[in-house]
Amino acid sequence: TVNTLSNVAISGGSVNGSPVGNVTASTGAFTTVTATSIQFGSGTVLSTYTESSYTGTVTGYSTAITKTIYYTKVGNIVVLETQEIAATSNATTKTITGAPASIQPATANKRFIANVSDNGGAYVPGMAIFNGGTWSIYKDLAGSAWTASGTAVIEDFHVSFTMA
């Protein structure tokens, strides 16, 4: 949202919810400007912007779990936010599946850190690997297997990465 514009050209966007073609304003005030890309001088698009979410299916727990995974994509950069997962473990592996191809990282097996607790233990840094639309979560940075009983917690985590 932009409240005041000076010497700005708006092309193919919307002003106050109404679509516009090419508008040039030497000075103006708008209550809302919605843009999906940023364009400078020569007409080259600097980036595109998307906010969305997907439903992640979680495995490794005794009950079926789905979580909404939120993401923002600006050009080829993705910022992703998960929700906390806490339930009774019934497997030594934990995954979250369902990420759309449009937000998968450029590098296979991209590694991140997530705060986790295995079988009611202390919270420690765990490893989260993102590959082909699936998150594999491990109970420590060494990639160790989870305990297949007790409470397993994967705290919400935020990550950012580049795409191809």
Side-chain angles (χ1 to χ4, degrees):
T1 301
V2 177
N3 293 322
T4 303
L5 299 175
S6 296
N7 300 321
V8 174
I10 300 172
S11 177
S14 66
V15 177
N16 291 336
S18 300
V20 296
N22 297 324
V23 175
T24 302
S26 56
T27 303
F30 301 96
T31 56
T32 304
V33 175
T34 303
T36 56
S37 64
I38 302 169
Q39 203 166 358
F40 288 97
S42 67
T44 302
V45 174
L46 176 64
S47 64
T48 56
Y49 176 85
T50 304
E51 274 187 13
S52 193
S53 65
Y54 68 91
T55 300
T57 301
V58 182
T59 66
Y61 293 91
S62 59
T63 57
I65 299 173
T66 59
K67 292 288 183 174
T68 302
I69 311 294
Y70 298 94
Y71 65 88
T72 301
K73 181 178 168 188
V74 180
N76 72 337
I77 299 172
V78 176
V79 178
L80 187 137
E81 174 187 351
T82 67
Q83 295 180 7
E84 181 180 79
I85 302 161
T88 302
S89 176
N90 73 347
T92 59
T93 59
K94 308 283 180 260
T95 65
I96 307 170
T97 61
S102 63
I103 65 159
Q104 293 176 19
T107 306
N109 297 312
K110 190 78 170 169
R111 287 169 168 73
F112 303 95
I113 296 176
N115 216 22
V116 300
S117 171
D118 183 37
N119 199 19
Y123 283 90
V124 298
M127 184 168 38
I129 299 176
F130 195 21
N131 188 38
T134 298
W135 288 95
S136 297
I137 316 292
Y138 298 90
K139 75 172 192 172
D140 57 32
L141 295 177
S144 301
W146 292 84
T147 304
S149 63
T151 301
V153 180
I154 303 167
E155 284 195 331
D156 57 325
F157 60 93
H158 301 78
V159 298
S160 59
F161 53 88
T162 57
M163 299 177 44

